[in-house]
Amino acid sequence: MNKTTSLKDVHDYWNEFVNDIEVTDLPVGTPEFFDALEKYRYDKIDYLQDYVGFPRYKGKQVLEIGCGVGNDLLQFARAGAQVSAIDLTENAVELAQANLGRDGYQGDIRVGNAEALDFPDSSFDVVYSHGVLHHTVDTEKSISEVHRVLRFGGEAIVMLYNRISWFNLVAVLSGTPIEHAKKDAPIIRRYSARECRKLFHEFRDVRIHIDRFPKRTVKFDNLFGKLNNYLLVPFFEILPDSIKRPFGWHIMIRATK
């Protein structure tokens, strides 16, 4: 990351490179397009639905920070939550609104900055952010904002990248951009589990779960993809959970205010 990287740089990148949009050639914004991205997401991140437990949040007021096309937001809405979301980019907000709308759901989805949330103190029961806050200019400030807008007893569910992971190692060795094959994100931070606990020091209770192991990829058709599909996937399938667990790519944090 260049020291002069600005929030505008982050905005411009993610407004152009919507997450996972390259995995399908279907017309953007069509029901088939959203179905394809939803299937890809939960095939790739196969732990996510069980870990989050979307049905637990029926009737809760949920804010998602960095909603992208709105796949996870849609799961909360389907479960009966009252959903709000922000994204730094206009493109994502438009797509997320369309994604919820195709199933007849509505939410307060707006352009916003994770470092200065446009919501009053103690507004939400849950703040959710998966793979977003490590891309912003001031991650610490964003997490402080998560704490501010949560009600007492509310829950933050956040994913940050694990520095000591199989994915990070192979990406570095193969020279593969982490986010998109054509161009990588201007800011990508990785953390240890200990560093994540420090980031969430304002919270009363912090629980860490490390996950996201190799799955066959169609997103990367290069050396990374070949190493992943033909070496890492079969290797990790035979590893005992106790050995592979610390090297997952995703650090999931549940923190109670």
Side-chain angles (χ1 to χ4, degrees):
M1 179 186 72
N2 190 305
K3 290 183 179 179
T4 60
T5 300
S6 68
L7 202 63
K8 183 180 185 303
D9 296 324
V10 178
H11 164 276
D12 291 348
Y13 175 86
W14 288 106
N15 207 44
E16 178 180 359
F17 295 98
V18 177
N19 196 36
D20 291 339
I21 199 169
E22 69 269 45
V23 303
T24 178
D25 294 326
L26 291 164
V28 174
T30 62
E32 295 78 14
F33 165 82
F34 289 122
D35 286 341
L37 262 62
E38 183 175 349
K39 182 178 186 307
Y40 175 78
R41 180 168 182 78
Y42 300 117
D43 284 348
K44 177 184 69 172
I45 313 176
D46 56 356
Y47 72 85
L48 188 59
Q49 289 179 307
D50 286 340
Y51 176 83
V52 176
F54 295 103
R56 295 173 52 192
Y57 301 104
K58 181 178 181 179
K60 300 292 186 181
Q61 290 187 300
V62 176
L63 170 67
E64 181 172 7
I65 299 175
C67 61
V69 301
N71 282 322
D72 293 347
L73 192 68
L74 181 58
Q75 309 311 310
F76 281 113
R78 285 172 175 165
Q82 300 174 48
V83 296
S84 301
I86 66 151
D87 199 281
L88 192 60
T89 69
E90 298 81 4
N91 199 358
V93 167
E94 183 178 339
L95 287 169
Q97 288 171 335
N99 197 5
L100 262 67
R102 72 191 177 102
D103 275 9
Y105 296 106
Q106 293 182 334
D108 177 4
I109 308 174
R110 60 177 88 167
V111 174
N113 175 9
E115 299 168 26
L117 294 173
D118 189 21
F119 299 100
D121 296 355
S122 306
S123 295
F124 298 98
D125 301 303
V126 180
V127 177
Y128 176 83
S129 186
H130 191 277
V132 174
L133 300 185
H134 46 231
H135 292 305
T136 195
V137 173
D138 193 333
T139 299
E140 290 84 354
K141 189 173 182 182
S142 298
I143 293 170
S144 184
E145 280 290 273
V146 171
H147 185 272
R148 180 183 66 78
V149 301
L150 273 172
R151 298 185 175 115
F152 182 78
E155 185 178 29
I157 307 172
V158 175
M159 186 275 276
L160 300 174
Y161 287 154
N162 183 12
R163 183 188 305 118
I164 313 166
S165 68
W166 68 272
F167 190 102
N168 193 45
L169 176 63
V170 176
V172 170
L173 291 177
S174 65
T176 299
I178 284 173
E179 295 300 338
H180 297 92
K182 292 181 180 179
K183 181 182 178 182
D184 219 342
I187 298 174
I188 307 174
R189 295 190 180 88
R190 297 93 159 163
Y191 297 94
S192 68
R194 175 181 288 186
E195 288 167 339
C196 288
R197 290 188 184 278
K198 288 182 178 179
L199 285 171
F200 284 80
H201 65 91
E202 292 182 88
F203 290 79
R204 292 185 296 132
D205 181 49
V206 179
R207 289 147 287 159
I208 299 289
H209 173 78
I210 300 177
D211 218 305
R212 176 63 172 96
F213 304 106
K215 301 282 289 184
R216 289 189 64 84
T217 182
V218 296
K219 187 172 179 178
F220 297 102
D221 184 22
N222 54 11
L223 176 60
F224 174 92
K226 291 179 173 61
L227 286 171
N228 179 81
N229 291 348
Y230 300 109
L231 179 63
L232 289 175
V233 170
F235 177 68
F236 269 79
E237 284 176 349
I238 65 173
L239 279 181
D241 187 72
S242 59
I243 293 176
K244 71 180 181 181
R245 180 64 57 189
F247 304 105
W249 177 224
H250 293 175
I251 300 179
M252 295 295 305
I253 302 114
R254 284 186 186 270
T256 304
K257 180 173 178 178

